[in-house]
C-alpha cells in the first residue's frame, strides 16, 4: 500500500493548509512540463496528485486512514484515473494548468446558433427538419494547412519557448507560447490562395436534425461537433426553435388554452359543442348554468412534457357572448324572458336615441 503521507512529506496530523502547501511545492517541482521526457518525474507527479486527491478529501482521507484505500471494498478509487484528471486537480489548486501558464489544449472552433421554424403540431409529435447554415470547415485546397508549412525557426517547431518568470514560488523557467509562430510551431512558406492562409473556408451545410416532442421556445438543442472547425476540433451547433403561434390555441408550458365563446342560451341551457384540438375537433359538453370564465380541462390533450412522458391539458375557458345585433323576433323573445324572470329592462326605443354610450 502506498503511504500518501510519506509521498507528500507530511505527518498524519497534517491539516488542510499543510497538505496544500506540500502539494504545491511538489507538484511544481515534478510537473511534466518542467521535466520533459523524465518518466520517473512523471510517475512521481502522478503519485503526488493521487496522494493529494485522497488526503484533501475528508471522506476519502478517513477511509484511507481506516482501511488503507479511499473506497472501502473498492480498488482503484484512489484518484489516479488518468492524466487529464490530474491536471484538473493541478488547475484547481493553482488556477492554471501548466507551470508556464499556457494551455496545452488547442482551442476548439466557435459554437454556432441557428433558428428553426416549427408549428405547434411539430411540438406535439416531434419532427425532422433540414437545417441550412454556414460554418467554417477545413479549406479543401490546402486540407486545412493554410499553405505550405515549415517548422518555426524561433522555437524549433515546438510552439513554446522557455522564459524565466518570477512567481509566488520563486524564479521559475516557464514555457510560454512562441511569439513568432503564435504557438503553432510552424510558419507558412507559401500561403494558400483559397483561404489566404487561414486553413478554413465557409461552407453551406445541409443537416437533418430530429426535433424532439415537447420543445419550448428558447430551449436550445445542441448538435455536437457541427460548429466551426478550430485547431482543437469543431465547436457545437445550437438550434433554437421558433414556434409559430397557433390561430386559436394558446400555449402555456405543456398546457393549451382555448377560449370558448358561449351564447346566452347555450350558457343557460347547456350545450354540446366542439373544441379545435391539435389533432382535430374534440367534443365538449357544457352543463346548463355555465358562467363566464369557467374552465373545463381535457386531460392529455395538451402538449408532451419535455422528455416525452405524458401530455398536459387542454384548458377551455368560457367567454359569455352578449348579443349586440338582435332581430325584432329575438328582441321580443328577450322581453318576454325578462318579464318572466322579473328583470327590469329599458323600454323599446330609449337607447336608439342615444348614439353613444360611455362606459366607466
Ligand atoms: Zn515558433
Ligand atoms: Zn487553404
Amino acid at each position: 500500500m502506498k503511504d500518501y503521507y510519506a509521498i507528500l512529506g507530511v505527518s498524519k496530523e497534517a491539516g488542510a493548509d499543510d497538505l496544500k502547501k506540500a502539494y504545491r511545492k511538489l507538484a511544481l517541482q515534478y510537473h511534466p512540463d518542467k521535466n520533459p521526457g523524465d518518466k520517473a518525474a512523471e510517475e512521481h507527479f502522478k503519485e503526488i496528485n493521487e496522494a493529494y486527491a485522497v488526503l484533501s478529501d475528508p471522506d476519502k482521507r478517513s477511509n484511507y486512514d481506516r482501511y488503507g484505500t479511499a473506497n472501502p471494498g473498492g480498488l482503484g478509487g484512489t484518484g489516479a484515473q488518468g492524466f487529464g484528471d490530474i491536471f484538473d486537480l493541478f488547475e484547481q489548486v493553482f488556477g492554471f494548468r501548466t507551470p508556464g501558464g499556457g494551455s496545452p489544449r488547442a482551442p476548439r472552433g466557435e459554437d454556432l446558433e441557428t433558428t428553426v421554424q416549427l408549428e405547434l403540431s411539430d411540438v406535439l409529435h416531434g419532427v425532422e427538419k433540414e437545417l441550412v447554415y454556414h460554418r467554417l470547415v477545413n479549406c479543401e485546397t490546402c486540407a486545412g494547412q493554410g499553405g505550405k508549412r515549415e517548422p518555426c525557426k524561433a522555437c524549433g517547431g515546438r510552439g513554446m519557448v522557455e522564459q524565466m518568470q518570477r512567481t509566488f514560488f520563486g524564479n521559475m523557467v516557464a514555457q510560454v507560447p512562441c511569439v513568432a509562430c503564435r504557438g503553432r510551431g510552424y510558419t507558412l512558406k507559401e500561403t494558400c490562395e483559397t483561404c489566404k492562409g487561414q486553413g478554413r473556408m465557409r461552407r453551406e451545410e445541409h443537416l437533418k436534425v430530429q426535433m424532439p416532442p415537447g420543445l419550448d421556445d428558447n430551449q436550445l438543442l445542441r448538435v455536437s461537433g457541427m460548429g466551426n472547425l478550430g485547431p482543437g476540433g469543431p465547436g457545437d451547433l445550437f438550434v433554437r426553435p421558433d414556434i409559430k403561434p397557433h390561430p386559436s390555441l394558446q400555449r402555456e408550458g405543456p398546457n393549451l388554452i382555448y377560449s370558448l365563446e358561449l351564447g346566452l342560451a347555450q350558457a343557460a341551457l347547456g350545450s354540446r359543442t366542439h373544441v379545435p384540438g391539435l389533432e382535430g375537433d374534440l367534443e365538449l359538453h357544457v352543463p346548463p348554468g355555465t358562467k363566464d370564465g369557467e374552465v373545463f380541462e381535457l386531460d392529455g390533450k395538451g402538449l408532451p412534457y419535455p422528455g416525452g412522458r405524458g401530455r398536459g391539458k387542454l384548458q377551455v375557458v368560457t367567454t359569455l357572448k352578449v348579443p349586440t345585433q338582435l332581430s325584432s323576433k329575438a328582441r321580443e323573445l328577450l322581453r318576454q324572458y325578462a318579464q318572466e324572470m322579473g328583470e327590469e329592462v329599458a323600454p323599446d326605443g330609449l337607447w336608439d336615441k342615444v348614439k353613444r354610450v360611455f362606459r366607466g
Side-chain angles (χ1 to χ4, degrees):
M1 187 188 92
K2 285 176 188 169
D3 186 344
Y4 290 145
Y5 293 100
I7 289 169
L8 290 180
V10 294
S11 75
K12 288 210 186 249
E13 287 74 39
D17 284 349
D18 301 325
L19 282 171
K20 200 170 198 173
K21 223 161 112 184
Y23 171 72
R24 285 188 154 198
K25 190 170 153 246
L26 292 168
L28 277 176
Q29 191 181 336
Y30 290 100
H31 195 286
D33 274 14
K34 295 194 73 189
N35 306 275
D38 184 343
K39 278 277 159 214
E42 191 178 308
E43 276 311 305
H44 197 51
F45 181 69
K46 282 187 194 172
E47 278 188 341
I48 293 160
N49 278 281
E50 186 180 322
Y52 183 68
V54 171
L55 297 185
S56 62
D57 181 318
D59 286 343
K60 287 183 183 166
R61 183 174 179 177
S62 81
N63 276 322
Y64 173 76
D65 289 343
R66 225 174 305 164
Y67 306 105
T69 64
N71 291 342
L75 287 171
T78 42
Q81 290 97 347
F83 242 53
D85 295 333
I86 283 167
F87 286 116
D88 284 346
L89 183 65
F90 187 90
E91 190 177 13
Q92 256 174 46
V93 172
F94 289 94
F96 54 87
R97 288 187 78 81
T98 69
S103 167
R105 289 179 189 160
R108 288 193 326 147
E110 301 85 3
D111 292 336
L112 296 174
E113 189 181 313
T114 185
T115 302
V116 63
Q117 312 282 333
L118 295 180
E119 302 284 338
L120 209 50
S121 54
D122 295 335
V123 176
L124 182 58
H125 300 294
V127 68
E128 188 183 75
K129 285 278 176 183
E130 192 185 53
L131 308 177
V132 180
Y133 69 105
H134 288 91
R135 69 169 183 146
L136 293 171
V137 295
N138 268 342
C139 170
E140 280 160 12
T141 312
C142 63
Q145 301 282 299
K148 229 181 201 156
R149 293 181 180 184
E150 62 180 354
C152 171
K153 291 182 181 83
C155 61
R158 286 178 56 237
M160 303 289 272
V161 290
E162 289 189 343
Q163 196 182 73
M164 192 65 93
Q165 278 189 345
R166 284 166 68 89
T167 73
F168 183 67
F169 311 101
N171 282 342
M172 290 195 333
V173 178
Q175 305 281 328
V176 297
C178 169
V179 177
C181 62
R182 283 179 290 154
R184 290 187 297 198
Y186 63 86
T187 51
L188 292 179
K189 208 155 89 183
E190 271 169 44
T191 304
C192 169
E193 288 288 325
T194 312
C195 63
K196 307 282 178 251
Q198 295 301 302
R200 301 198 289 181
M201 58 180 246
R202 229 166 99 87
R203 188 171 74 192
E204 188 176 87
E205 292 282 356
H206 292 251
L207 181 68
K208 286 200 172 119
V209 174
Q210 186 64 37
M211 311 299 288
L215 270 185
D216 219 323
D217 273 315
N218 300 324
Q219 192 181 343
L220 292 178
L221 284 184
R222 180 205 292 264
V223 187
S224 203
M226 287 309 286
N228 283 341
L229 197 71
D236 296 333
L237 173 70
F238 288 90
V239 184
R240 183 185 291 281
D242 178 17
I243 301 157
K244 232 171 87 179
H246 192 272
S248 55
L249 296 169
Q250 230 182 306
R251 180 181 190 181
E252 209 164 82
N255 296 331
L256 294 171
I257 299 164
Y258 177 70
S259 172
L260 176 69
E261 281 200 333
L262 286 179
L264 284 180
Q266 285 180 307
L269 304 175
S271 169
R272 188 197 268 168
T273 183
H274 288 90
V275 169
L278 270 184
E279 297 143 296
D281 279 0
L282 298 163
E283 207 175 67
L284 181 72
H285 293 251
V286 176
T290 294
K291 295 185 200 67
D292 187 52
E294 279 197 51
V295 181
F296 297 92
E297 293 188 332
L298 301 170
D299 282 335
K301 297 299 179 187
L303 292 167
Y305 288 103
R309 287 198 184 274
R311 281 171 63 179
K313 306 163 180 164
L314 173 54
Q315 295 179 310
V316 181
V317 185
T318 60
T319 312
L320 209 53
K321 191 170 61 181
V322 177
T324 49
Q325 303 286 325
L326 291 171
S327 66
S328 53
K329 179 153 191 207
R331 192 183 291 262
E332 183 47 40
L333 287 170
L334 270 178
R335 289 203 167 280
Q336 285 177 27
Y337 165 84
Q339 200 165 23
E340 179 69 24
M341 299 297 286
E343 290 183 15
E344 199 177 307
V345 293
D348 229 352
L350 172 69
W351 291 108
D352 297 342
K353 291 176 192 132
V354 185
K355 289 295 174 216
R356 285 157 74 199
V357 179
F358 296 98
R359 292 170 195 268

